[in-house]
């Protein structure tokens, strides 16, 4: 009798403890606590990623359009940040390229200060499929009318800056010549190549 009574009492004593330990109230308190402790980490990560994605990065074509718009408005402050510090800008009307942001901004500052604001660049076509290179065909208009000998094409290469916005690192402008030699240009090219074939060392002087 004492043995079975003792054995029968043990389950009765253990059941309340097991029920208290495995009762629904304690797990419910523990699980939400774990979720709440994880949520801030997830939210912070998502917020950082969303901020990185949400800060809209301009396309290369948009930067080039802003460049022309700034020049047309004679707004040097708008043009300057679009040009990289070490940019090289070739305008083939000039014998040497402009190197560095200061030189380039100085050139466009002189252009804006001396050319009538009625003379405006008009973009005829622009490539927008490449994220780092843009081609543009354009012409000049004076008060809405085409300006003579002003058709041109330009090429720009861009790289992402520290502010994660593209900047122009290289540019080249080719402008319609006022003098159009026509077939004479072929004669000149043929004559120059004839000379170079006989005196190839002359090519080193170009």
């Amino acid at each position: 009798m004492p043995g079975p009574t003792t054995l029968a009492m043990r389950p009765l004593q253990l059941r309340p403890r097991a029920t208290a330990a495995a009762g629904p109230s304690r797990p419910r308190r523990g699980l939400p606590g774990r979720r709440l402790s994880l949520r801030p980490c997830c939210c912070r990560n998502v917020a950082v990623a969303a901020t990185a994605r949400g800060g809209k990065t301009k396309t290369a074509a948009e930067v080039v359009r802003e460049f022309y718009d700034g020049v047309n408005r004679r707004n040097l402050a708008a043009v300057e940040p679009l040009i990289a510090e070490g940019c090289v800008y070739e305008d083939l009307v000039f014998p040497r390229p402009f190197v560095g942001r200061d030189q380039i901004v100085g050139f466009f500052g002189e252009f804006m200060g001396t050319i009538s604001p009625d003379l405006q660049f008009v973009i005829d076509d622009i490539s927008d499929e490449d994220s780092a290179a843009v081609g543009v065909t354009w012409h000049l208009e004076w008060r809405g009318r085409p300006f003579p000998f002003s058709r041109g094409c330009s090429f720009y290469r861009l790289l992402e800056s520290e502010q994660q916005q593209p900047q122009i690192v290289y540019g080249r402008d080719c402008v319609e010549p006022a003098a159009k030699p026509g077939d004479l240009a072929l004669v000149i090219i043929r004559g120059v190549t004839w000379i170079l074939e006989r005196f190839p060392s002359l090519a080193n002087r170009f």
Side-chain angles (χ1 to χ4, degrees), residues 67 79-85 87 100-101 104-105 108 167-168:
F67 173 76
V79 170
E80 184 172 358
L82 306 177
I83 300 171
E85 186 65 39
C87 180
R101 180 190 290 160
I104 297 166
V105 170
F108 281 103
Q167 286 184 315
I168 298 170

Side-chain angles (χ1 to χ4, degrees), residues 2 20 24 26 32 77 89 92 99 107 119 121 134-135 138 155 191 197 205:
R26 290 182 63 182
Y89 199 92
L92 300 186
V99 180
F107 164 69
L119 193 65
F121 283 92
V134 178
W138 49 265
F155 171 81
E197 285 169 355
R205 300 184 182 182

Side-chain angles (χ1 to χ4, degrees), residues 124-135:
D124 300 317
D125 201 2
I126 184 169
S127 64
D128 57 5
E129 296 180 358
D130 197 307
S131 62
V134 178

Side-chain angles (χ1 to χ4, degrees), residues 68-204:
Y68 280 91
D69 180 66
V71 172
N72 281 340
R73 292 186 289 112
R74 305 301 191 258
N75 186 346
L76 197 60
V79 170
E80 184 172 358
L82 306 177
I83 300 171
E85 186 65 39
C87 180
V88 175
Y89 199 92
E90 292 183 302
D91 187 326
L92 300 186
V93 172
F94 295 86
R96 287 181 295 276
F98 300 94
V99 180
R101 180 190 290 160
D102 291 342
Q103 274 195 20
I104 297 166
V105 170
F107 164 69
F108 281 103
E110 185 176 354
F111 173 86
M112 294 176 187
T114 56
I115 303 299
S116 167
D118 291 325
L119 193 65
Q120 299 274 298
F121 283 92
V122 177
I123 293 176
D124 300 317
D125 201 2
I126 184 169
S127 64
D128 57 5
E129 296 180 358
D130 197 307
S131 62
V134 178
V136 187
T137 57
W138 49 265
H139 68 277
L140 290 171
E141 289 186 358
W142 186 81
R143 296 184 179 179
R145 299 177 181 179
F147 194 76
F149 309 115
S150 69
R151 291 175 297 177
C153 57
S154 300
F155 171 81
Y156 300 94
R157 187 166 295 283
L158 297 90
L159 289 177
E160 195 173 86
S161 67
E162 293 180 359
Q163 292 75 30
Q164 305 200 348
Q165 294 292 347
Q167 286 184 315
I168 298 170
V169 296
Y170 175 77
R172 176 182 287 183
D173 290 337
C174 301
V175 186
E176 177 183 11
K180 299 180 185 290
D183 291 339
L184 181 59
L186 298 177
V187 176
I188 295 171
I189 293 171
R190 188 166 58 246
V192 172
T193 53
W194 183 88
I195 294 172
L196 290 177
E197 285 169 355
R198 285 152 181 79
F199 307 98
S201 62
L202 293 176
N204 298 328

